[in-house]
Amino acid sequence: MDLDDPAQQLPAVPVGGAKRGRSDIPGGRRKQRVSMADVARLAGVSSQTVSRVANGYPGVIGTTREQVLAAMRELGYRPNSAARALRYGQFNTIGVILFNLASTGNSHTVEAIATYAATEGYAITLIPIDVPTQDNVLGAFTRMGELAVDAVIVIMEIHLLDAGTVALPPGVHVVVVDSDAGDRYSVVDTDQAEGARLAVRHLLDLGHRTVWHVTGPETSYASQRRAQAWRLCLEEAGRSVPAPLHGDWSAESGYVAGLALADEPDCTAVFASNDQMALGLLRAFHDRGRSVPADISVVGFDDIPDAACFIPPLTTVHQDFAEVGRRCVQGVLQQIREGGAGSPGTDLVPTRLVVRASTAPPSR
């Protein structure tokens, strides 16, 4: 039996309780599924050539491929993906495990993964984890195995509650996003540290004596790297390091921090760890009568689509989420095709500073 040939699969039971022996079309004949052999006869090629086209294999010349595709369209032929998966042991599905789908970085990264996977002929299966524990991560991998995926991308943007670092099952094609696990796994991440340095250097080059900082959550790898780079950049420049204010990525937490910073007479520049908190800062400074950028300059991080529409338009660090997603998919596909695990190491995607109207030299 040819598992890739739908004509040799068992016919589905008709919906609506049709009796055995009833015909599906006028004239008393049961409608037959189109087989690979039917396509081959119409296209004037071998069944093997049709199989290669249906499964996306290279080596079929363009004109022949078009003949086969045209025959498929004319006959209404649809390759049986389930049968193909059983035959070749490949499901053309990538699993994605993550802790928080609502965050800006994660939602954009998942979108990029899905988009690039589709261009490679793959779908994604998404499993969110409510509580970031080692057991829940392993449980998600078990579910992925039951759902028959070829590889897994794990977006580990926060520390686990019950373990110093994540331990993933052996023998799985996997790429990790936004983690400190590059010594054991293949990791793709935005260059968080360089992005923070770009923000701080920009403000110092404008003439500000120092830069205040609103951090993200303490459990976030990205927030930690941005805060560490902010501090190191100020220390290397011989500037004082103000006590950081802690946020939670939300505009509300940025607003609370902004109310406190508005009362700091020496605060002329602030680097917020994301754009949403920067938005809260802008509102707080407005409410306290502090002009941006005349009194205080503000830089964010992410370059969300709305950043250019803030009042004033926000200077921020651009993250290339599309490139992060592309490299993640590229990494797991390489592992699938080579039949091995990914090499340990961290692949950093560059950032760039987008200068808008929220930053200027200090007025005093």
Side-chain angles (χ1 to χ4, degrees):
M1 175 180 288
D2 186 353
L3 290 175
D4 198 41
D5 190 340
Q8 299 185 30
Q9 304 303 308
L10 292 175
V13 176
V15 176
K19 296 180 180 179
R20 184 181 301 274
R22 289 283 302 274
S23 61
D24 298 314
I25 58 175
R29 292 184 299 105
R30 183 178 300 277
K31 183 178 180 181
Q32 297 296 315
R33 293 186 181 182
V34 178
S35 71
M36 191 175 290
D38 295 331
V39 176
R41 280 192 294 270
L42 181 61
V45 298
S46 67
S47 293
Q48 183 181 11
T49 298
V50 176
S51 177
R52 294 185 66 82
V53 172
N55 289 291
Y57 287 111
V60 181
I61 62 175
T63 53
T64 301
R65 183 180 298 275
E66 286 304 316
Q67 283 178 239
V68 173
L69 292 175
M72 287 180 177
R73 288 192 293 269
E74 182 175 340
L75 295 174
Y77 174 79
R78 296 291 182 271
N80 190 316
S81 58
R84 184 168 60 244
L86 289 172
R87 182 176 187 180
Y88 296 106
Q90 185 169 317
F91 303 92
N92 282 40
T93 302
I94 297 170
V96 179
I97 298 173
L98 78 168
F99 297 130
N100 181 7
L101 184 58
S103 71
T104 297
N106 285 359
S107 61
H108 284 289
T109 301
V110 170
E111 179 184 16
I113 289 170
T115 300
Y116 189 73
T119 67
E120 294 289 329
Y122 280 73
I124 69 166
T125 295
L126 183 66
I127 294 185
I129 298 177
D130 291 336
V131 181
T133 65
Q134 180 66 55
D135 284 346
N136 284 346
V137 171
L138 295 178
F141 268 90
T142 299
R143 287 188 61 196
M144 285 296 183
E146 295 169 351
L147 294 171
V149 301
D150 300 308
V152 179
I153 296 171
V154 187
I155 303 179
M156 292 286 299
E157 80 277 14
I158 58 177
H159 292 275
L160 297 179
L161 298 178
D162 60 347
T165 186
V166 67
L168 304 180
V172 178
H173 302 313
V174 63
V175 167
V176 182
V177 185
D178 195 7
S179 171
D180 63 351
D183 59 330
R184 286 160 294 127
Y185 306 110
S186 177
V187 173
V188 176
D189 193 10
T190 295
D191 195 340
Q192 312 286 353
E194 180 58 22
R197 286 190 289 267
L198 289 172
V200 176
R201 288 169 184 160
H202 170 66
L203 292 167
L204 295 180
D205 289 345
L206 287 173
H208 296 277
R209 296 177 61 185
T210 191
V211 178
W212 296 68
H213 183 44
V214 181
T215 75
E218 294 182 359
T219 56
S220 164
Y221 289 110
S223 175
Q224 286 184 346
R225 292 192 184 95
R226 295 169 196 177
Q228 290 168 357
W230 158 77
R231 179 180 297 276
L232 182 60
C233 193
L234 290 179
E235 290 174 347
E236 289 175 345
R239 309 300 177 90
S240 62
V241 182
L245 290 83
H246 300 287
D248 60 9
W249 296 136
S250 70
E252 181 181 1
S253 68
Y255 181 80
V256 172
L259 294 178
L261 290 173
D263 294 332
E264 292 285 348
D266 295 332
C267 177
T268 64
V270 185
F271 165 46
S273 197
N274 79 335
D275 290 348
Q276 292 294 334
M277 293 191 299
L279 175 61
L281 288 172
L282 296 179
R283 175 63 187 273
F285 294 150
H286 172 79
D287 288 353
R288 288 297 179 89
R290 302 293 298 276
S291 174
V292 177
D295 297 325
I296 302 178
S297 288
V298 176
V299 177
F301 202 113
D302 284 338
D303 194 23
I304 62 175
D306 295 338
C309 298
F310 289 3
I311 300 176
L314 183 67
T315 295
T316 184
V317 177
H318 178 82
Q319 291 201 75
D320 193 344
F321 296 112
E323 180 63 14
V324 171
R326 188 189 72 81
R327 293 191 189 186
C328 288
V329 175
Q330 193 176 51
V332 292
L333 291 185
Q334 181 177 356
Q335 294 176 35
I336 292 170
R337 290 160 182 166
E338 294 179 357
S343 301
T346 300
D347 182 14
L348 292 178
V349 177
T351 57
R352 58 184 173 87
L353 184 70
V354 180
V355 179
R356 298 191 179 101
S358 68
T359 52
S363 59
R364 62 187 186 277

